[in-house]
């Protein structure tokens, strides 16, 4: 039952993902959450996020930011990196993810989603049929509603990691 929240992959950081291997495998679009995925919550784009987006675009990826935040926050981040974005996306509803793929000109088979939350980012991506990469949050300082969700996420991640161990040992 908890499997609907399991990411396809779990990484310690967005900045440690081998995006070239995904490009080589045929992926052409990446949808990112912003806060705690690329920068600390509410922070502007920094050198690291600017370099990452630039390198992804040079690689041939289309990049789009899908955020539940209001436009001023998303636009502030995007002004430095110059990608596409959707604000007030309503994650985890499918509609934002579908609109993002339409804007990128991609489909479920060649789009990745990268985010830091299971119950919005990953669940929405999985429910839409997009390959999902969960990353550890950059900063532990978060809004109260997110802090509360993190406790539930710990339970899901416990079972997710246990299922990975079970599958790697051939049990289960």
């Amino acid at each position: 039952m908890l499997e609907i929240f399991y990411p396809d992959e779990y990484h310690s950081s967005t900045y440690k993902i081998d995006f070239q291997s995904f490009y080589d495998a045929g992926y052409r679009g990446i949808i990112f959450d912003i806060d705690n995925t690329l920068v600390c919550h509410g922070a502007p784009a920094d050198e690291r996020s600017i370099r990452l987006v630039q390198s992804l675009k040079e690689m041939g990826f289309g990049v789009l930011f899908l955020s539940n935040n209001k436009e001023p926050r998303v636009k502030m981040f995007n002004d430095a990196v110059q990608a596409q974005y959707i604000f007030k996306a309503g994650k985890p509803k499918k509609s934002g993810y579908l609109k993002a793929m339409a804007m990128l000109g991609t489909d479920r088979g060649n789009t990745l989603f990268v985010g830091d939350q299971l119950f919005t980012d990953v669940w929405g991506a999985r429910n839409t049929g997009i390959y999902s990469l969960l990353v550890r949050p950059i900063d532990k300082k978060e809004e109260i509603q997110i802090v509360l969700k993190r406790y539930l996420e710990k339970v899901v991640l416990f079972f997710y990691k246990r299922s990975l161990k079970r599958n790697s040992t051939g049990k289960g």
Side-chain angles (χ1 to χ4, degrees):
M1 168 148 173
L2 293 177
E3 291 86 1
I4 63 169
F5 300 112
Y6 290 0
D8 292 298
E9 295 184 19
Y10 185 33
H11 294 267
S12 61
S13 168
T14 299
Y15 300 98
K16 294 188 178 181
I17 297 171
D18 179 5
F19 289 106
Q20 182 66 53
S21 67
F22 284 106
Y23 190 84
D24 294 345
Y27 288 91
R28 294 299 180 260
I30 305 175
I31 303 169
F32 283 101
D33 176 54
I34 298 172
D35 287 328
N36 259 343
T37 298
L38 291 164
V39 293
C40 293
H41 185 81
D46 58 11
E47 285 294 319
R48 186 168 66 160
S49 60
I50 293 168
R51 274 195 315 272
L52 174 65
V53 173
Q54 184 177 24
S55 72
L56 293 172
K57 290 195 279 186
E58 288 171 2
M59 211 179 286
F61 279 109
V63 177
L64 185 139
F65 306 111
L66 187 68
S67 176
N68 285 346
N69 279 301
K70 294 177 183 171
E71 187 172 23
R73 191 287 175 262
V74 181
K75 184 180 182 320
M76 176 202 35
F77 180 86
N78 190 60
D79 282 348
V81 297
Q82 296 297 306
Q84 297 182 76
Y85 66 88
I86 299 171
F87 62 95
K88 290 178 76 174
K91 294 182 289 184
K93 292 189 286 186
K94 286 183 183 182
S95 57
Y97 297 86
L98 295 172
K99 181 178 178 182
M101 287 187 290
M103 289 171 68
L104 288 168
T106 59
D107 58 39
R108 289 171 175 92
N110 65 0
T111 306
L112 301 171
F113 185 89
V114 182
D116 70 298
Q117 293 187 54
L118 287 175
F119 302 127
T120 51
D121 299 331
V122 170
W123 185 24
R126 287 188 51 93
N127 198 32
T128 308
I130 301 171
Y131 198 84
S132 63
L133 289 81
L134 177 70
V135 296
R136 283 195 196 117
I138 292 173
D139 190 4
K140 293 195 184 300
K141 184 178 172 189
E142 298 179 295
E143 297 173 334
I144 187 65
Q145 72 270 19
I146 296 172
V147 170
L148 297 173
K149 284 192 276 184
R150 294 288 186 204
Y151 288 107
L152 296 172
E153 285 185 352
K154 286 180 183 178
V155 173
V156 175
L157 287 172
F158 169 81
F159 287 105
Y160 167 73
K161 290 173 183 176
R162 193 168 85 175
S163 75
L164 291 177
K165 286 180 187 173
R166 189 176 299 142
N167 290 336
S168 70
T169 61
K171 297 176 185 171

